[in-house]
Amino acid sequence: MRTNFFQALQRLQSAGAWVINVNFAADNDLIVSVLLKSQDGAHQKSQLPPMVFKGTAQDIDEGILEGLMQPVTETKSLFANSAAYHKELEEAKAKLVAKPKAEKQTANADKTKPSEAAPNKPKFEDTLKEINSLNAACKYAEAVAIIPGIEDYPDKKADIEKLRTDLEWKMKQLTLL
């Protein structure tokens, strides 16, 4: 008996390794699973699910090659695209690693410059102490009036906004009495 099964497979000219599994089921049926893997072996996690054919030996003989043609053609282009994708991904990772190193060097150069915010810090802390003493004396309107602007202390934006909302709320509560 002569079959041309492997010659037919060779005509598909697929890129990858074939794993063909044949199981014998009840009622003289066959279950044939065909798995096409990438040849590089590096990305085995991204395997495709197997193509499964079930039927009698004659049914599978007549239809398996036609059933494999379209999926194998699509898979061949998928493997080519996958290889290019992984290559681009590695290049992008390399660029991202290089970018933070350059930013760190720039940041270190900026840190060596004298800071303009350093003289303002004691002023902010002094203002904060004064606001806290007015708050304790229930003089909320006066405390709100001396809250520094966000543009003066951009690094303290969250603290200033929280302080302002808290004091304004207390001021409104006091006017309800």
Side-chain angles (χ1 to χ4, degrees), residues 6 9-10 14 23-24 34 40 47 51 54 57 62 65-66 79 110 113 117 123-124 132-133 157 161 167:
F6 291 103
L9 282 180
Q10 189 176 17
S14 70
N23 288 326
F24 298 94
V34 180
D40 62 4
Q47 288 182 7
M51 295 171 273
K54 183 177 180 181
E62 292 171 0
L65 291 175
E66 290 82 20
F79 285 151
D110 290 344
K113 295 178 183 176
K123 292 181 183 178
F124 180 77
N132 286 335
S133 66
K157 178 181 178 182
E161 288 175 348
L167 289 172

Side-chain angles (χ1 to χ4, degrees), residues 111 113-119:
K111 286 181 182 178
K113 295 178 183 176
S115 178
E116 295 176 11

